Amino acid sequence: MSGVGGRAVRRVIETLERCPRAGSGSLTEIAGAVGLTRLALHDAFREHCGMTPQQYLRLVRLDGVRADLLAAPLAGVTIDEVALRWGFAHNRAFLLWYRERFGEWPAQTLRR
């Protein structure tokens, strides 16, 4: 990734992968932290990643949910707890995104 937009995208990606919950701030705050406007960050993500910053963050968080479910003991852990911890408050949307990304429901992952 080259250019100002590419460097900004790389910085945001590094931050989100290191600390996915950092993305819970507004997109305007995240963009400002890397010296871009919200629209410029959105456009730079589209150009360099083929998706919006929100979509990228969702993928990072879904990966975190899956890792937690795979590492969790079957008893005493609920999917809702894990999903909420990763910033997914809307259960139906979360379930559909999870299934689309991993080809299975979170409950199937948890039973492994």
Side-chain angles (χ1 to χ4, degrees), residues 4-109:
V4 174
R7 286 191 299 274
V9 168
R10 190 171 40 253
R11 286 179 50 208
V12 170
I13 287 172
E14 289 169 357
T15 299
L16 294 179
E17 289 182 353
R18 190 175 55 252
C19 184
R21 290 171 188 91
S24 62
S26 76
L27 187 53
T28 302
E29 292 170 354
I30 294 168
V34 296
L36 295 177
T37 65
R38 177 186 169 112
L39 182 58
L41 181 63
H42 186 275
D43 291 346
F45 255 86
R46 280 262 189 225
E47 179 183 339
H48 294 284
C49 300
M51 65 184 76
T52 66
Q54 297 94 331
Q55 290 169 322
Y56 186 86
L57 178 58
R58 181 184 314 133
L59 296 178
V60 170
R61 288 179 172 171
L62 285 168
D63 290 347
V65 169
R66 183 172 179 82
D68 283 1
L69 292 177
L70 287 170
L74 188 54
V77 173
T78 70
I79 294 163
D80 288 342
E81 285 174 340
V82 175
L84 192 57
R85 184 169 54 233
W86 282 94
F88 294 104
H90 304 292
N91 195 30
R92 180 161 169 71
F94 159 72
L95 291 172
L96 295 173
W97 289 327
Y98 191 96
R99 179 152 172 86
E100 180 181 324
R101 177 129 174 99
F102 301 112
E104 65 183 15
W105 299 107
Q108 293 172 294
T109 303

